[in-house]
């Protein structure tokens, strides 16, 4: 019994019990932990910011994954271009919130510094009909961003609240890897329509993506579905499709109860066009690869329409 009493706090808990036995000790400990947990929840709820829309933006879609290197930015860029292609009358924006490793400047071939309005709001850069904003527009592309968390949050706040978006119907937000401050800030500050999760099927990526999915579920962000990336290669001669990693993504979607939105193959054309700063949806609009992203865009639009509240119910 004495071995179980490891510190004074436990001794204090035991002193409140009428009988010194194991069951009573654990009952008291659970009660105190429950009270502490409730108190912490109340304090956290008290400090949460209120969600506030981004001025000039109607609907916000996150592209995320707990794992890095699975093709989030490529998916975000081509999803944005595909949304514009499928619904040309809609205005589409692309926001890159990866402060440390922004990819949108390269993938969208945009390297200028944004102009400012009279109110000191940054005017998004435009290419291929898409309004774009990224931290990469504000720093030298050869200089690393060596910042602590508070500076990153300050930069994120500028990207969220100091950009003059022009009547954007869909804003696609490319997020960094992980489940940290950036994601929490986006979720707590913005009314999100949903999140598209991106993963490759190997266990290492799926496990981390699962953690990201659980975070979004716990914080009540709708999961639109999962994009499986780079699982297959197609032989250029016989056109046979070969699976590289297996069926980990299918197991994940089944577990989460969400749809597998699209299976994007590992294809040199996607890499080459992206590296050239021209998304494949724009560079090769009639290709099978571009059609895969357009199908993804249509599924996202269908999901968003189902989320809309009828006017007579508002």
């Amino acid at each position: 019994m004495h071995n179980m009493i490891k510190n004074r706090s436990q001794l204090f808990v035991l002193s409140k019990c009428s009988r010194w036995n194991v069951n009573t000790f654990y009952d008291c400990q659970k009660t105190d932990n429950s009270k502490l947990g409730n108190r912490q929840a109340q304090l956290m709820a008290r400090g949460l910011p209120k969600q506030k829309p981004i001025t000039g933006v109607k609907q916000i879609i996150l592209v995320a994954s707990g794992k890095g290197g699975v093709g989030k930015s490529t998916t975000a860029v081509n999803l944005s271009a595909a949304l514009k292609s499928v619904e040309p009358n809609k205005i589409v924006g692309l926001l890159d919130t990866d402060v440390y490793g922004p990819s949108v400047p390269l993938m969208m071939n945009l390297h200028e510094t944004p102009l400012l309005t009279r109110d000191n709001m940054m005017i998004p850069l435009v290419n291929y009909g898409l309004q774009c904003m990224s931290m990469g527009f504000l720093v030298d592309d050869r200089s690393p961003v060596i910042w602590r968390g508070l500076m990153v949050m300050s930069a994120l706040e500028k990207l969220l609240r100091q950009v003059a978006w022009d009547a954007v119907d869909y804003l696609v937000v490319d997020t960094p890897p992980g489940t940290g401050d950036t994601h929490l800030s986006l979720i707590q500050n913005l009314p999100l329509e949903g999140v598209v999760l991106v993963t490759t099927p190997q266990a290492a990526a799926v496990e981390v993506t699962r953690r990201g999915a659980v975070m979004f579920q716990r914080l009540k962000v709708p999961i639109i579905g999962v994009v499986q990336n780079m699982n297959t290669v197609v032989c250029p001669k016989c056109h046979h499709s070969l699976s590289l990693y297996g069926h980990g993504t299918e197991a994940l979607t089944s577990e989460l109860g969400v749809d597998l939105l699209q299976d994007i193959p590992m294809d040199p054309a996607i890499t080459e066009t992206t590296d050239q700063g021209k998304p494949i949806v724009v560079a090769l609009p009639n290709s099978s690869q571009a059609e895969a992203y357009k199908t993804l865009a249509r599924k996202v639009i269908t999901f968003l329409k189902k989320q809309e509240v009828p006017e007579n119910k508002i």
Side-chain angles (χ1 to χ4, degrees), residues 200-202 206 228 231-232 242-251 263:
T200 51
Q202 69 265 43
V206 170
Q228 177 172 262
N231 181 45
T232 57
L242 175 66
S243 177
L244 299 177
Y245 299 114
H247 304 284
T249 306
E250 295 175 9
D263 187 356

Side-chain angles (χ1 to χ4, degrees), residues 76-153:
V77 166
N78 280 286
L79 172 59
S80 302
L83 287 169
K84 184 64 178 177
S85 175
V86 171
E87 293 195 340
N89 293 328
K90 298 288 187 179
I91 298 176
V92 181
L94 176 61
L95 173 61
D96 183 358
T97 61
D98 192 343
V99 173
Y100 291 115
S103 300
V104 165
L106 169 66
M107 294 183 176
M108 291 297 295
N109 193 27
L110 290 169
H111 305 284
E112 298 84 6
T113 300
L115 299 175
L116 298 178
T117 67
R118 292 180 179 178
D119 299 326
N120 286 324
M121 301 284 282
M122 294 181 289
I123 301 174
L125 302 183
V126 178
N127 202 3
Y128 314 124
L130 304 175
Q131 298 182 33
C132 303
M133 180 53 62
S134 170
M135 192 65 199
F137 301 156
L138 308 177
V139 297
D140 181 22
D141 59 359
R142 296 182 180 274
S143 300
V145 177
I146 308 174
W147 289 352
R148 292 186 181 274
L150 289 176
M151 296 177 68
V152 173
M153 289 301 98

Side-chain angles (χ1 to χ4, degrees), residues 1 9 15 43 55 57 94 107 138 141 143 154 156 170-172 189 230 297:
M1 182 63 188
S9 61
S15 68
L43 291 174
T55 303
V57 174
L94 176 61
M107 294 183 176
L138 308 177
D141 59 359
S143 300
S154 177
L156 180 61
Y170 304 124
L171 179 64
V172 178
N189 285 281
M230 299 182 286

Side-chain angles (χ1 to χ4, degrees), residues 24-241:
T24 304
F25 165 68
Y26 281 117
D27 287 342
C28 290
Q29 191 173 44
K30 287 180 181 178
T31 300
D32 280 8
N33 287 342
S34 177
K35 290 180 179 178
L36 179 61
N38 291 336
R39 178 61 176 164
Q40 288 176 336
Q42 291 173 1
L43 291 174
M44 289 179 66
R46 200 182 290 173
L48 288 178
K50 293 183 179 180
Q51 290 183 340
K52 180 182 177 182
I54 297 177
T55 303
V57 174
K58 292 182 180 178
Q59 295 180 298
I60 304 172
I61 307 153
L62 295 191
V63 176
S65 174
K67 189 69 173 174
V70 295
K72 288 187 305 299
S73 296
T74 302
T75 301
V77 166
N78 280 286
L79 172 59
S80 302
L83 287 169
K84 184 64 178 177
S85 175
V86 171
E87 293 195 340
N89 293 328
K90 298 288 187 179
I91 298 176
V92 181
L94 176 61
L95 173 61
D96 183 358
T97 61
D98 192 343
V99 173
Y100 291 115
S103 300
V104 165
L106 169 66
M107 294 183 176
M108 291 297 295
N109 193 27
L110 290 169
H111 305 284
E112 298 84 6
T113 300
L115 299 175
L116 298 178
T117 67
R118 292 180 179 178
D119 299 326
N120 286 324
M121 301 284 282
M122 294 181 289
I123 301 174
L125 302 183
V126 178
N127 202 3
Y128 314 124
L130 304 175
Q131 298 182 33
C132 303
M133 180 53 62
S134 170
M135 192 65 199
F137 301 156
L138 308 177
V139 297
D140 181 22
D141 59 359
R142 296 182 180 274
S143 300
V145 177
I146 308 174
W147 289 352
R148 292 186 181 274
L150 289 176
M151 296 177 68
V152 173
M153 289 301 98
S154 177
L156 180 61
E157 180 68 16
K158 293 183 189 308
L159 292 176
L160 294 180
R161 302 300 180 191
Q162 297 185 21
V163 178
W165 299 103
D166 186 10
V168 169
D169 295 290
Y170 304 124
L171 179 64
V172 178
V173 181
D174 183 23
T175 63
T179 54
D181 288 344
T182 297
H183 299 83
L184 290 175
S185 293
L186 292 171
I187 294 168
Q188 292 173 356
N189 285 281
L190 303 178
L192 304 175
E193 304 303 322
V195 55
V196 174
L197 297 173
V198 182
T199 187
T200 51
Q202 69 265 43
V206 170
E207 285 299 319
V208 180
T209 303
R210 178 182 288 107
R211 295 173 195 160
V214 171
M215 175 192 69
F216 287 114
Q217 288 179 330
R218 288 183 178 177
L219 297 174
K220 310 301 181 184
V221 178
I223 297 177
I224 300 173
V226 178
V227 172
Q228 177 172 262
N229 223 6
M230 299 182 286
N231 181 45
T232 57
V233 292
V234 179
C235 176
K237 293 185 178 180
C238 68
H239 303 291
H240 175 72
S241 179

